[in-house]
Amino acid sequence: MGSRELSEPMSPGDPTQNSARPADRHGLLKHSREFLDFFWDIAKPEQETRLAATEKLLEYLRARPKGSEMKYALKRLITGLGVGRETARPCYSLALAQLLQSFEDLPLCSILQQIEEKYDLHQVKKATVRPILFANLFGVLALFQSGRLVEDQEALRKSVKLLQSLAQYQNHLQEQPRKALVDILSEVSEATLREMLPEVLSADVGAMLSCPEQLGLFLLAQQKVPSRLKKLVGSVNLFSDENVPRLVNVLKMAASSVKKERKLPAVALELLRLALKEDKFLRFWKGVVEQGLLKLQFWPASYLCFRLLGAALPLLTKEQLQLVMRGDVIRHYGEHTCTTKLPSQFKFAPEMEEYVGTFLEGCWDDPERQLAVLVAFSSATNHGLPVVPTFWRVVRFLSPQALQGYVAWLQGMFLQPDLDSLIDFSTSNQKKAQDASLHMPERAVFRLRKWIILRLVSLVDSLHLEMEEALTEKVARFCLFHSFFVTKKPTSQIPETRQQLSLPLESQVREAVSSAFFSLLQTLSTQCKPALEQTRGGQPWTYRLVQFADLLLNHSHSVTPVTPLTAQQRQAWDRMLQTLTELEAPSSEPRAAAFQHLLLLVGIHLFKSPTESCDLLGDIQTCIRKSLGEKRCGSHTKTTDPQEPPWVEVLVEILLALLAQPSHLMRQVARSVFGHICSHLTPRALQLILDVLNPETSEDEDDHVVVTDESDERWPKAAEDKSEDSEENRSSESEEESEEERDGDVDQGFREQLMSVLQAGKALGGEESEEEELGDEAMMALDQSLASLFAEQKLRIQARRDEKSKLQKEKALRRDFQIRVLDLVEVLVTKQPENVLVLELLEPLLGIIRRSLRSSSSKQEQDLLHKTARIFTHHLCRGRHYCHDLGDRVEALHGQVARLVEQAGRQPDSSTALYHFNASLYLLRVLKGGTAEGRVHETQGALEAGTHPSPVPESPQAASCLNLNLATRVYSSALSSFLTKRHSPLTVPMFLSLFSRHPVLCKSLLPVLVQRVTGPGRPRQQTQACLLLQKTLSMREVRSCFQDPEWKQLIGQVLTKVTENLRTLGEAQTKAEHQQALSSLELLNTVFRTCKHEKLTLDLTVLLGVLQGQQQGLQQGAHSAGSSRLLDLYWQAMKTLGVQRPKLEKDAKEIPSATQSPISRKRKKKGFLPETKKRKKRTSEDGTPAATSGSQPPSTGRKRNRTKAKGPAPGTPTLSPSTPAVSPKLQKKNQKLSQVNGAPGSPTKPAGQKQHLKALPKRVLDKSPASALARKKASPPLVLRSPSLLQSGAKKRKRS
C-alpha cells in the first residue's frame, strides 16, 4: 500500500522516470517500513510512544515536504479518525493537529473537504454511523487544535456548520459538538463572533436556556458582543422569576455532565460573574443556588453549590462573604461533612480546603476577609462542635493580623460562648432520634470549648515557626491560667483576669484544657526553641510559664488555684524556684540544664497532682545538690545520713515514677536526665530498673510505681461523638455477655446449690414424689429461691469478668511501662558502653526476649520484643565500644558464658537460641579485650614481648582475661551436641560467627568438627559438619592461626574423612544420605581449591581410586531426582584430578551434522564459532602441522587455543571415553616428560588401569622453590594427580 502510493506521482510516459522506477521503488520501499511504523505507534495507548511517533513523523515529513509522503500521511491520519478503536481516534486527531500546525501551507478547507468526503453524513449507514460521526467531530477538533482555524474564515464557517449538523446526533455524541462550538467561538475575534452570532445563537430565550451549551453561547456573547446580542434577542433578564427555574434545570444538567470529572462547570462560573456584574448576586444566590439547587436533594447539584461557594470566595466583598457564609450552603456542607465518615464515601472536605487555601493565599493583604471566612467556617457546628478539624492546614496562609484576630475570636468564644452566632445544624439521624439530651446548651458549650482549646494548641503546633512570640506566649498563658486557676477579682497586672467567664468551666472542660496545655508544653519544649535574642534572657518556655504561675500565686487576692496549695506544697514551690536560680549560675555543669528542665516540669505538675509532685520536688532537689556538689548549695546542705541511699538511686526511682505517667514530655525529660547521671549509676540503681523489666518480679509483686492509663495523655475525645453508636455498642456488649454466660463453665458449687434448692422445693425426687404436684405457694417460693440463686451467680460471673478485664488492663499498662523503661536501658548502653554494669543487662534482656517470643500475640508484646531485640543486637552486641576493666568478674563471666551456651542449646527454636549464642559471643569479646586486677602489668609485658610475626595461639590468652581451655570445653560440648542431637536449636551460622570472631578458639574446635564428618552418626548431622567445615576452611582468620605444617596436616585429615564418606557415593537411599553425598563432594572441591591456592603437595592416589570406583554407580543413577547436581560436583572433582567428563553419544552425533548443515549452524548455542572464524592449528617444531584426524569433531570448548586429540577406539576399555585436551603450552612440556619417563604403553589396556589423565601445571600446585629442571628430574609425590600422569603427555604425542 505504501509503495503504491509513493509511486503514483511518476509518469509512465517519461523514459527517464521509467528507467529510474526500479531504483526509486527500491529506495521508497526502504523507507516505507520506518514510515509506516509511525502510524502504528501513534495509535498506541502509551502517551510517550504517541508523542515520540508524532515528533518523528513530523521530522520525517520536514525532510520531504514536497514528496508523496505528505499526501499519504494526510490520508492515513484522516482514515485514523474513524477507526473502530475509540482510544485511537483522539491520537490521530492530535497528530493531525500537530501536522497542520507544523505545515501552514496545507489549506484547512482542503483537509476539511477530504474529511467530509471520506465520512459523508448524507450516506451514513446504520452500522457505521458512530465511527463516521466521531471522525467528523475529531476532524474539526484537529483543525481547532492546530491554532489556524480561527484565522481561516471559510474553514471556520464550514466547521461551525458541520458541528451544528453533528449536534443533531445526541444519542451518539451527546453535547460534545455544542461544547466544541462554544470552545471555538470563545477564541475567535469580536468581529467574527458578531458576524456569526445569528447563525449559532437562537433568538428564543427558551432555546437559549434549554441546555448548558446554549446558555454558554449566550454568556459568551454577553461578555464579548453585548450590543450585537441585544439587537438579536433584545433585553434579557436571566434572573427573573420566570427564568430562575430554567437556570436551575440548566445547572442541574451541567452538574450531571461533570459528575465524573468532579469540577465546576464553566457555565456556572460565568453565570456567577454575570450576576456580580449586573449586581444581582443576591437574587442568583438565594433563588438559583439555595432555593433551587439545594432543594433538589441531588448530590451532584449539592456539590455544584459547594464548588460555587469555593469559587466565589475571591470574587465577593466582606459583606457578601458574611451573607453567603451564614446561608443554607454552608449548613448543608457541614451536614455532608458530618455524615460522610466511611472510607468508601465521597468527601468534599479536601476540595473545599483547596478552595479556602487558594482564597487565603490570594488575599494576604486583606486580613478582614481572611478572618471573615475562617470565622465563618469555624462557626458551622453540629450541636456546638465545629465541622472543620482542629488541625486545618489552611491557617498557614493567614497574615499576622488575621491570625491575631482569629486567636482573639477563639479565646472570646471560649470565655463567653455565643451559641446564637453559630450556624448550628442536626443530621438526619439526629433528627430522627429525638433525644432531648443532644439539644442541651450545656452540651453544646462543652463541645465548643473543648474544640476551641484544641484549636489553639494546634495553631501553635503548626505555626510555631511563623507565629510571633507574643502570640505564642498569649496562647500558652491562656491555657495555663484556665487549667489550674480561677479569677477572684480582676487586676490590671494580669490580663487573663479581666476576661470573665459567662459560664463556669466544668471539671471535664478543665481536664481537657489541662491535657491540651501539657501537649502545648511538649510542643514548646521540643519544637519551639527561639533564639536567645528573641526571648527574655534566653529562658526556655517552661521557665517563663513557671514564672507566670508564680506571679499568679503571689496575687492570691485576685487569683486562686483550682486545687489550693498547702503550706508544705507552697514551700516546695519556693524552694524549687530558689534551686532554679542556683542552677542558672554561669559555672553550672552541662547536666544542670537537664535538671532544670526536670524541676520545671515537676513544678508545673504541682498544680495537677500536688501531693505526689511535692514529694518528688524535695527528692529531686536533694539529688541535684548532691550530684552537683555540696559547695554549690552553701548553707542549704544537710548532713548526710549513712543509712540514706545514694542520690543516684533516689533519682532513678524518681525517673521511674515519671515514666509511669503517660506524658511523652516526661519520657523525653527522663531520657535526658538519665543520660547525664548514668555515669554515676550504682548496681542498686541499675537493679531498680531491672526489677521493672524482670517479669518474674514485676508481675507477681505490687510495685511502688503506679502506672497510669495512657489514654489520659492524648487529647480527650468528645464523649458525645460516640453517642450515636452507644446503643449499638451496648447491645453488642450485652449479646457478648449472654454468649459468655451460656458458653461459660458452670462451677461445681453452683451445681450443688442448685440441686439443694430444687430438692428443698421437692422439684427433684424419687418415684414417690413424681405423683405429687407442687402447689402455687411452693412454686412461687421455688421461683424466688431460683431467682436469687441465679442473681448471685450472675454477680459472681460479672465479678470474674471484671477481674479478668482488670488484669488484662494492668498487664497492658505494665507492658507499656516496660517499653518506656527500656529508654533508660538504651541510654545506658549507648552513652556508657564501657561501664561494667552493662554486663548485668544481658540476662534480663534475654528474659524479655524469651517471654515475648512465647507470647507475642498482642501489639504491645510485639513492640516490647522489637525494641528489646534492637537494643540487645544493635547497641549491645554490635557496639564498637565495650567494657575493658573487668575487675574481679572474670570467673563469673566465664561461668555466664557457659550458662548462656547451655541455655542456647536448650531453647525450643533457633531464633531464641541465636540471642543467647550472640550474648555468649559478646562476653567472649569482653573477656578477650578486657583486663582484670593483677593482669595489667602482665598484659603490658606480653604486648611488648609479642613481636613474633607468626600467629601464636597463646598470645591472645596471655594478653586477655579469656580462659581458652574453659571456652574450648564449653563450645566443644555445644558443637558435639549440635552434631549429635536430632533437633538442635543451634545452627551453622552461629558457629561460623564464633569461628570468624575467635579463630584461636576455632583452631581448638576443628578436631572435633573433623571427627564428626564421618562415623556412626546420622547423615543429617554429618551433612552439617561438612557444610560447617567447608565454610571454615575458606576463612582467612582461621588460616592465619595455623602454621604451614599444621595446616597441611589438617587438610590431610579432612581428605581422609571425606574419602571414607565417598566410598558410599551413589548408594544413597534417603534424602539425608543424598545431601550427605552432596556436602562431601562440595567439601572435597573446597579442599582442592584450598590446596591449589596454598600450593600444597598431597598424595591423592587413594582418593582417585575411590572416585573412579563409584563412577559406574553414579552413571546408573543419573536419571534419579537430584542426581544432576551430584554428577556435576563429582566431575568437577575428577576434572581437578585430571579426568575429563565423557561426552554423551547424542552430542557426538549432533556435532558433525552441525558442521555440515548450514541451517543447523544458525541454531548453535551461544559461544560457538563458525568454521571460518576458528584459529588455524599451530605448526609443531619440525614444521609439520599438528592436525587431528578428519573424523574428529571440531572443538566446542570455551578456550579457543585448546586442541583435542583423537579418542580411543570404540572397543577400548578405558575409564574416560575421550582424551583430555592439552594446551599448546603443556604440549611441549609433555613431550620432554615422556622422554624422561619412558615410551608410552599400548593403546589398549585393561579397564582397571588408569590412563588418559590430564596434568595440572606443577609450578602452580607445588610449593618447592626448586628450579624447573630439578622438578622435572625429581620424583615427588602426586600433587592432585593420577599415577599415570607422567606418561599421559608422551601417549598423546605418540597418538598424534
Side-chain angles (χ1 to χ4, degrees), residues 677-706:
I677 68 170
C678 60
S679 59
H680 303 277
L681 205 63
T682 61
R684 173 58 185 164
L686 179 62
Q687 190 61 37
L688 293 174
I689 300 175
L690 298 181
D691 289 342
V692 178
L693 299 177
N694 189 5
E696 285 77 10
T697 59
S698 63
E699 292 185 3
D700 298 339
E701 299 178 2
D702 295 335
D703 298 333
H704 296 287
V705 178
V706 179

Side-chain angles (χ1 to χ4, degrees), residues 657-769:
L658 296 179
L659 286 175
Q661 300 182 13
S663 174
H664 184 67
L665 182 58
M666 284 288 192
R667 188 173 180 177
Q668 292 181 340
V669 172
R671 285 178 60 98
S672 177
V673 173
F674 188 78
H676 290 285
I677 68 170
C678 60
S679 59
H680 303 277
L681 205 63
T682 61
R684 173 58 185 164
L686 179 62
Q687 190 61 37
L688 293 174
I689 300 175
L690 298 181
D691 289 342
V692 178
L693 299 177
N694 189 5
E696 285 77 10
T697 59
S698 63
E699 292 185 3
D700 298 339
E701 299 178 2
D702 295 335
D703 298 333
H704 296 287
V705 178
V706 179
V707 185
T708 57
D709 193 358
E710 192 173 354
S711 60
D712 298 338
E713 177 189 357
R714 301 182 178 89
W715 292 349
K717 299 180 179 179
E720 292 76 8
D721 298 342
K722 304 179 182 178
S723 60
E724 301 177 3
D725 303 330
S726 59
E727 297 181 0
E728 298 178 0
N729 296 335
R730 286 196 295 268
S731 61
S732 60
E733 289 178 0
S734 61
E735 292 176 1
E736 293 178 359
E737 292 176 1
S738 61
E739 290 179 0
E740 290 180 0
E741 291 176 0
R742 270 199 314 272
D743 301 336
D745 296 333
V746 181
D747 55 350
Q748 188 64 27
F750 176 69
R751 289 179 180 273
E752 295 177 356
Q753 293 178 7
L754 181 60
M755 294 292 293
S756 62
V757 170
L758 292 176
Q759 289 177 359
K762 298 182 179 181
L764 294 177
E767 298 178 355
E768 299 179 355
S769 61

